[in-house]
Amino acid sequence: MAPQTPTGSDYVQELVIGFAAWASASARAGLASLLQSFGDSTEPDYLAIVPVYNRMLAIALLVVGAVIAIGLIERILGGQMGLSWNLVPRVLIAVFFAFSGFSLVQYLSGYAALLATAWSPDLAQYAKSLTDPASFEHLSRNASAGTLGALIFTALLTILMAVLVHLELLIRAALMLTVTAFIPLVCVLAIWPRMTAAAIHLAEFLVGLMLSKFVVATVIYIGFGLVIPAMHGAQSADGKAGWLSTGLAILLIATFSPAILFQALRFAHGGAGGMVRGWGAGVVSMMTMGSVVRLASGVGRRGLTRVRQAVSMARSRGSTTSSSRGPDS
């Protein structure tokens, strides 16, 4: 029997299989880099901001007296958000968190980083099953064109995901360092009840940053948990289809739109926008609006009374002058 001559479709198939093999090997390196990103390499180095935090703490302690004075003045002027009997506990709590904020954030950040590595062993198994030579050979020879295309797309998406997620985690570390440096000042300003909202938004923002790595790791684990079994022909327990498409959609969300994930979770919802709005509202509310309105109303009434008196005096002088000239003329 004469040997069969390879056709164009055979060459295309071999080319696709070779490209899939290259993409899978690259995906293994990408997953290894991704697993490393969920470790200590993307955690903030808090020792770098110790001098900054100490100086910010000194500045905060210098303005304690001014903040207390502003709160007492508002209470004297009749404001509802001033300081009265709650002065002593608010000062003690604010100073305590100003001193211990650095250690508290560093302690909680360590446990949050440990929580983000909960899925690392499973992701390592997925990386092995995705790039194992025997498994890949079986998958590439017996898979349909759609499954092979999904394998290539998943591998390329994994490479891109490793880069983007690493950048996002680096930005997370930078934000955590920046926000932590302002903890003493925000705590001292929170002595005044009008500035409590700024401290709450700051705490929400820090909690969201700490848990964001765990959120991204969990979503990536869910995505690969749907994609890898679907490419190997596994079926869902209730017989529903769509494992592969759903898993790819989850990986796309984790790669390009992580903000959607944080908006769906309440502990991560206090993002930068909320913090900025809270700070802006706190700064605007530093003016005792009720007292200012009452002061402006009193000044306006006094000015209007003086204007009326001046007008009446001018009219009386004019009438007196006209009456005195009448008989002479």
Side-chain angles (χ1 to χ4, degrees), residues 66-77:
V67 175
I68 295 175
I70 293 174
L72 293 176
I73 289 173
E74 180 178 0
R75 174 63 65 177
I76 293 173
L77 295 177

Side-chain angles (χ1 to χ4, degrees), residues 312-327:
S312 61
M313 291 177 62
R315 288 180 179 178
S316 61
R317 290 177 181 177
S319 60
T320 304
T321 304
S322 60
S323 59
S324 61
R325 290 180 180 180

Side-chain angles (χ1 to χ4, degrees), residues 290-306:
S291 302
V292 171
V293 170
R294 287 192 295 270
L295 180 60
S297 177
V299 173
R301 288 177 182 176
R302 292 178 183 176
L304 184 60
T305 303
R306 291 180 180 179

Side-chain angles (χ1 to χ4, degrees), residues 53 57 60-61 64 88-105 183-188 190-191:
Y53 191 91
L57 179 62
L61 294 178
V64 168
V88 175
R90 292 184 71 93
V91 171
L92 293 178
I93 293 174
V95 173
F96 170 78
F97 280 106
F99 274 96
S100 63
F102 182 84
S103 301
L104 184 62
V105 171
I183 287 179
L185 187 60
V186 175
C187 289
V188 168
I191 296 175

Side-chain angles (χ1 to χ4, degrees), residues 13-14 17 20 133-149 151 230-233:
Q13 184 179 4
E14 292 295 331
I17 292 176
S135 177
F136 176 77
E137 183 70 19
H138 173 75
L139 181 62
S140 61
R141 296 298 178 184
N142 300 298
S144 61
T147 304
L148 193 59
L151 173 62
M231 288 192 300
H232 286 82

Side-chain angles (χ1 to χ4, degrees), residues 185-232:
L185 187 60
V186 175
C187 289
V188 168
L189 292 178
I191 296 175
W192 190 11
R194 289 187 179 274
M195 296 298 294
T196 305
I200 294 175
H201 282 294
L202 184 68
E204 289 181 354
F205 186 58
L206 273 175
V207 172
L209 287 176
M210 290 179 186
L211 296 179
S212 60
K213 181 185 286 191
F214 172 68
V215 173
V216 174
T218 304
V219 173
I220 291 176
Y221 169 71
I222 294 173
F224 279 110
L226 294 175
V227 170
I228 302 299
M231 288 192 300
H232 286 82

Side-chain angles (χ1 to χ4, degrees), residues 76-122:
I76 293 173
L77 295 177
Q80 299 298 322
M81 299 293 291
L83 291 171
S84 57
W85 59 270
N86 57 350
L87 170 63
V88 175
R90 292 184 71 93
V91 171
L92 293 178
I93 293 174
V95 173
F96 170 78
F97 280 106
F99 274 96
S100 63
F102 182 84
S103 301
L104 184 62
V105 171
Q106 190 175 10
Y107 178 79
L108 295 178
S109 179
Y111 278 97
L114 183 63
L115 190 64
T117 61
W119 317 113
S120 296
D122 299 303

